[in-house]
Amino acid sequence: MPASPMSRRQMLITVALTVLGTLVAWYLGAILSFASTKHGFNNRFSEVAIQHHWWYLVWSNVVVLKGYLLVAAGYVVVIYPLIRLWSRFQFFGRFGTIWRSLLLAGLLYGFFIFRLMLEKPYFGDYSYLLGWYDAVGTLCGVWAQDVLHALVSQVFPLLALGVAAGFYLFELRLWFARAARPLLFSFAAVAGMLGLLVVSGYGVNRAPDVMELAGGRKRPKNIVILGSDSLRADHLSCNGYHRPTSPNIDRIAANGVNFDRCLTPIASTLESLTSMFSSQYPHTHGVRHMFPNREMVNRANREAPSLGAVLLQQGYDTAVIGDWCACGFNELPMGFKDIIVSDFDNFRVYMSEAVFLHHQILPLFFDNHVGHMLFPKLKSFASYMTPEVVTDQVIDRLKQRAEDGKPFLLFGYYSCTHLPYKTPTHYAKLWMDPKYDGPHKHELALNVDQFIGETDINEKWSRLPQKEVEQITALYDGCVRMFDDSVGRVVAALEKQGLMDDTIILITGDHGDDLFEPNCTFGHGTTFNGGDQANHVPAIFHIPGLDKPQRHSGLARTIDFAPTLLDLVGAPGEPRFEGTSLAPVIRGEKEKLDLAFFGETSYLFFRRKIPGEEPLFIPPMDETTFIDPDFDFHFVLKDKFQDAVLKTKEHCVRTERFKYVRTPGVKHSIERLFDLRDDPHCERDVKHAYPDVKARLSAALDKWLTTRVQSTTQEIYGILGEDTLKPLGAGE
């Protein structure tokens, strides 16, 4: 018996129920997947989650239903007109409507997952899909992947949305025609177009007068700081790197000021950024590792000065916008009034994200404003606050300041270059060997549970073959290009809003990263082995009115940024700053500042190895930290390990030529001296060849640690000058 025809109402209800049933099945599948993987936690913290937060995990799985309902509505809006059009070419009844709705729902789901796999891989693990996509590239070439990408991400959505929009527009026109109101339809269409133009702001934004404020007062210089976590200065093409990783940053450097030997006093994000904006060393502001307790945080907020606080008093709008790598500003705002960042250091946020990522339907729409309105906590998730979202919000902030004319300090902070170097596919394959087919094809294959639960993982990674090192480095370089593209978008927005000529821009990072240089593997902040790469960051300034480009190779430090920026905008200095303004060098008032670098390591994740010596070490992270419910569920170092962490710290003094490192050992301190002129990767200890240099740098380190007084290179070496020093016995 042939199927009976369905009315529009019946067809719409059938499509809606089919889509809803499909999403219910996907929801139940996500719940089962979450339950089967130990609630998303495979280390000792899983016990805490299950025993003390099980109800929160259950509630988080209930909350996501809002997203499923919205996705269902979107699917119905797209699928229903396609089913209606299909029925005009081929007759079918209820069963035909159901299986066609299932087919289209599956295609839509596949489209979004494919798009996420290529453009936003940090939303989930899509390794099960990448195999065939890589096979297409291997068999047909990269061009085939590009064509497939364009068809799926551009042609398909435009075609589907065009068909759906045309269908609803035609239906609306028929309704107006039946109601004998065609003029009203035309008016509504024109009004709708004008409304879209107004909402988008196209044609109505006016570039402000950037030179003067009301009453003829000259506007103070604005400041935009753009940074990426783990950004190495020596991997920027403007600093001589062999790959074109940073064309947008290069243009800033070509017309600005580049301090190409800038170092952070501690290569760990929370401590480094606190030092950057307070212009104080860690042992002064008190945040000396990445798991501080509430008392340490409160003390820093109460006592430490900050660039943001000074400029806030001068009438500046101060804001930091960032992803999960900027989460520390939630506890340590450093004078920034508006904090728009993730909060990944909160265990409940960590649990919520584990829940959300198991529901792979959610990322389809929720890396945007609608998703942030529906799920406010998305802004706290590492995987949702993507570089694109950060850049969009930075640009929105710039538009606001262009309209109201208020001077501003804006810090845009990204996780682009942070482990595990996971980027959209087109960045990952920029410099990778197309024949590579190992475990690090799309990201550094790092087992997080081993990382936080073992101390000998460094030993395993030290045996990594050279081809794997080259692949990981290529991935990192793709990450640099991703950050560079974000910088390019922000600079374009500044130019469009007429702000470039009145805004100082600083491109930098919190620290660098080890990339398997001699005597190190990956990571940062745990050792001074292998050279400067973990502490070496960009310091590239765009300064309006600069006479000519400048490049300076003398030592600079990130603690010098705050006094430099205050100096450049004419704001009063802060006497508690320990950094030195670089502005006299920029203005040509001084040739050099004779600065020396003083630094310390942070929390020790790996067991150090020094040939012939026995360094101190502490247990792994999941043994030394706990989740403090009285401190907003943050990871906090246990009290009994506070002294142990400080005792395991390496300390370093570095001048232009020499680098002195002191490592705590089981029996005695381990002292090493390196001549960076001949040994940039610190492979040869020359303390016996230069005993006087070792003694002078050791004394400078002791003075800094005990009295917090820094020595300049001239004070360290006196009239000797380090360039002419020769090893003991040379020339005799």
Side-chain angles (χ1 to χ4, degrees):
M1 181 177 179
S4 58
M6 301 179 67
S7 67
R8 295 182 180 182
R9 179 185 177 86
Q10 290 174 323
M11 184 173 287
L12 177 60
I13 292 174
T14 302
V15 169
L17 290 176
T18 302
V19 169
L20 190 61
T22 302
L23 290 175
V24 168
W26 286 339
Y27 176 79
L28 293 176
I31 295 291
L32 292 175
S33 173
F34 180 71
S36 65
T37 55
K38 296 183 181 180
H39 306 280
F41 308 96
N42 296 310
N43 49 62
R44 296 178 186 177
F45 292 125
S46 62
E47 300 175 8
V48 177
I50 296 170
Q51 293 178 7
H52 303 289
H53 303 278
W54 64 268
W55 60 271
Y56 187 78
L57 294 172
V58 171
W59 176 246
S60 296
N61 278 288
V62 172
V63 168
V64 301
L65 284 172
K66 293 187 297 183
Y68 278 85
L69 291 174
L70 186 57
V71 171
Y75 273 24
V76 171
V77 167
V78 174
I79 291 175
Y80 172 66
L82 296 178
I83 296 291
R84 282 283 309 279
L85 292 172
W86 198 338
S87 68
R88 293 186 179 182
F89 295 96
Q90 182 182 6
F91 175 81
F92 50 81
R94 187 177 302 278
F95 178 75
T97 301
I98 291 173
W99 77 256
R100 286 170 174 82
S101 298
L102 288 172
L103 174 64
L104 292 173
L107 288 175
L108 278 175
Y109 182 73
F111 155 70
F112 282 113
I113 292 297
F114 185 78
R115 176 175 170 267
L116 290 170
M117 177 191 80
L118 295 180
E119 299 178 4
K120 297 177 173 60
Y122 22 74
F123 278 169
D125 181 9
Y126 304 108
S127 56
Y128 63 95
L129 288 173
L130 287 167
W132 70 266
Y133 181 75
D134 293 334
V136 170
T138 302
L139 293 174
C140 304
V142 176
W143 67 269
Q145 290 179 321
D146 294 337
V147 170
L148 183 62
H149 187 183
L151 286 173
V152 173
S153 64
Q154 299 177 28
V155 176
F156 174 76
L158 287 175
L159 183 62
L161 291 175
V163 170
F167 171 82
Y168 288 115
L169 192 63
F170 181 75
E171 291 287 305
L172 186 63
R173 187 176 183 280
L174 287 179
W175 182 84
F176 273 103
R178 287 194 297 269
R181 285 177 285 193
L183 182 62
L184 180 60
F185 171 77
S186 300
F187 175 78
V190 173
M193 293 292 292
L194 292 175
L196 286 175
L197 289 174
V198 171
V199 170
S200 66
Y202 182 79
V204 298
N205 286 337
R206 180 182 64 86
D209 179 1
V210 300
M211 294 305 296
E212 292 186 350
L213 298 173
R217 293 184 297 111
K218 187 172 179 60
R219 180 201 298 266
K221 287 286 191 293
N222 308 307
I223 299 172
V224 172
I225 304 174
L226 300 175
S228 183
D229 198 307
S230 310
L231 180 62
R232 288 177 55 147
D234 61 346
H235 276 244
L236 300 182
S237 40
C238 60
N239 285 334
Y241 194 56
H242 65 281
R243 287 171 174 158
T245 54
S246 52
N248 293 295
I249 297 174
D250 294 351
R251 281 189 284 273
I252 297 175
N255 298 289
V257 180
N258 185 357
F259 290 90
D260 61 14
R261 202 180 297 180
C262 182
L263 304 172
T264 177
I266 185 167
S268 180
T269 303
L270 180 66
E271 309 94 288
S272 176
L273 291 179
T274 304
S275 288
M276 182 187 299
F277 287 102
S278 69
S279 188
Q280 289 186 339
Y281 287 104
H283 64 214
T284 301
H285 59 63
V287 181
R288 303 189 67 183
H289 55 75
M290 62 189 300
F291 303 115
N293 56 36
R294 182 185 291 275
E295 181 182 353
M296 296 175 186
V297 169
N298 288 343
R299 178 201 160 199
N301 284 328
R302 184 175 62 251
E303 299 179 8
S306 67
L307 172 67
V310 175
L311 292 178
L312 193 62
Q313 293 177 353
Q314 298 298 309
Y316 276 68
D317 173 74
T318 61
V320 55
I321 300 173
D323 49 32
W324 68 275
C325 283
C327 67
F329 285 96
N330 286 308
E331 284 70 51
L332 284 159
M334 285 288 103
F336 288 100
K337 182 180 178 181
D338 293 329
I339 311 294
I340 308 168
V341 302
S342 300
D343 192 14
F344 197 59
D345 193 32
N346 181 309
F347 188 61
R348 285 197 169 178
V349 171
Y350 181 51
M351 290 190 296
S352 295
E353 182 162 5
V355 170
F356 274 55
L357 288 180
H358 275 79
H359 295 274
Q360 288 199 342
I361 197 76
L362 293 179
L364 307 187
F365 296 111
F366 299 123
D367 61 329
N368 49 53
H369 293 299
V370 174
H372 291 165
M373 291 172 59
L374 193 64
F375 298 108
K377 67 172 60 177
L378 287 178
K379 290 186 178 182
S380 298
F381 290 175
S383 297
Y384 286 83
M385 196 68 167
T386 65
E388 294 97 329
V389 174
V390 172
T391 304
D392 290 343
Q393 295 193 3
V394 168
I395 292 174
D396 288 345
R397 191 83 181 191
L398 292 175
K399 290 178 180 178
Q400 294 172 18
R401 297 292 76 78
E403 291 173 359
D404 64 25
K406 190 173 184 179
F408 58 86
L409 164 65
L410 176 58
F411 181 37
Y413 194 59
Y414 297 79
S415 62
C416 295
T417 45
H418 195 283
L419 292 166
Y421 312 144
K422 192 172 186 177
T423 63
T425 306
H426 60 283
Y427 290 112
K429 67 182 183 181
L430 270 175
W431 290 291
M432 68 176 287
D433 182 351
K435 298 179 181 179
Y436 176 82
D437 196 29
H440 310 288
K441 193 164 188 176
H442 305 286
E443 62 178 301
L444 176 67
L446 173 65
N447 186 309
V448 176
D449 299 307
Q450 290 181 354
F451 184 77
I452 68 176
E454 298 182 11
T455 57
D456 62 347
I457 188 173
N458 203 36
E459 175 66 22
K460 299 175 184 177
W461 284 89
S462 65
R463 297 190 293 270
L464 201 67
Q466 183 59 30
K467 69 174 184 177
E468 304 292 347
V469 172
E470 292 173 356
Q471 169 63 14
I472 292 169
T473 303
L475 290 174
Y476 178 85
D477 292 342
C479 294
V480 176
R481 174 60 75 86
M482 185 180 186
F483 172 64
D484 182 79
D485 283 348
S486 299
V487 171
R489 287 186 60 201
V490 174
V491 170
L494 285 165
E495 292 172 340
K496 182 178 180 180
Q497 299 300 322
L499 295 171
M500 269 302 275
D501 292 339
D502 209 41
T503 301
I504 296 170
I505 303 174
L506 169 59
I507 308 297
T508 189
D510 57 340
H511 52 74
D513 231 3
D514 293 325
L515 285 173
F516 301 91
E517 282 80 14
N519 298 322
C520 63
T521 55
F522 67 94
H524 46 260
T526 60
T527 179
F528 285 109
N529 286 347
D532 292 331
Q533 66 278 342
N535 293 77
H536 188 193
V537 299
I540 298 171
F541 291 83
H542 161 77
I543 302 176
L546 191 71
D547 291 335
K548 61 181 180 179
Q550 301 176 19
R551 189 183 188 97
H552 302 282
S553 296
L555 282 178
R557 299 84 52 90
T558 58
I559 63 167
D560 301 326
F561 290 164
T564 300
L565 291 169
L566 290 183
D567 197 342
L568 290 174
V569 301
E574 165 57 69
R576 293 173 293 170
F577 282 174
E578 294 181 320
T580 300
S581 173
L582 305 173
V585 173
I586 296 173
R587 291 192 291 258
E589 298 166 1
K590 293 183 178 180
E591 289 188 12
K592 59 181 182 178
L593 298 171
D594 287 324
L595 299 175
F597 165 76
F598 295 83
E600 64 181 61
T601 53
S602 182
Y603 181 94
L604 182 62
F605 282 100
F606 304 142
R607 188 190 298 267
R608 290 194 183 100
K609 289 194 67 175
I610 300 175
E613 305 285 359
E614 188 177 359
L616 294 176
F617 76 97
I618 57 174
M621 172 189 165
D622 58 353
E623 292 184 36
T624 56
T625 61
F626 73 104
I627 297 136
D628 187 353
D630 296 325
F631 189 25
D632 201 18
F633 297 97
H634 284 288
F635 294 92
V636 171
L637 187 67
K638 296 176 181 177
D639 288 340
K640 67 179 181 179
F641 291 109
Q642 294 287 347
D643 290 339
V645 165
L646 298 184
K647 289 178 180 178
T648 60
K649 281 179 175 286
E650 283 186 341
H651 291 93
C652 172
V653 180
R654 186 205 192 283
T655 56
E656 300 287 345
R657 178 180 171 184
F658 290 101
K659 177 178 174 180
Y660 169 78
V661 180
R662 184 186 295 167
T663 307
V666 173
K667 298 178 181 179
H668 54 77
S669 292
I670 305 164
E671 298 178 287
R672 290 173 290 162
L673 181 70
F674 304 101
D675 187 347
L676 299 173
R677 185 173 61 183
D678 303 320
D679 182 23
H681 291 298
C682 303
E683 298 179 82
R684 299 184 298 276
D685 184 359
V686 297
K687 63 176 175 287
H688 297 302
Y690 294 93
D692 185 54
V693 173
K694 192 207 84 168
R696 289 172 179 269
L697 292 175
S698 176
L701 179 61
D702 288 333
K703 181 180 179 181
W704 175 65
L705 289 173
T706 57
T707 67
R708 299 179 186 174
V709 174
Q710 308 167 67
S711 302
T712 65
T713 55
Q714 186 177 13
E715 291 169 340
I716 292 172
Y717 296 110
I719 62 173
L720 294 176
E722 61 178 331
D723 289 337
T724 60
L725 293 176
K726 295 182 180 180
L728 192 67
E732 294 181 358

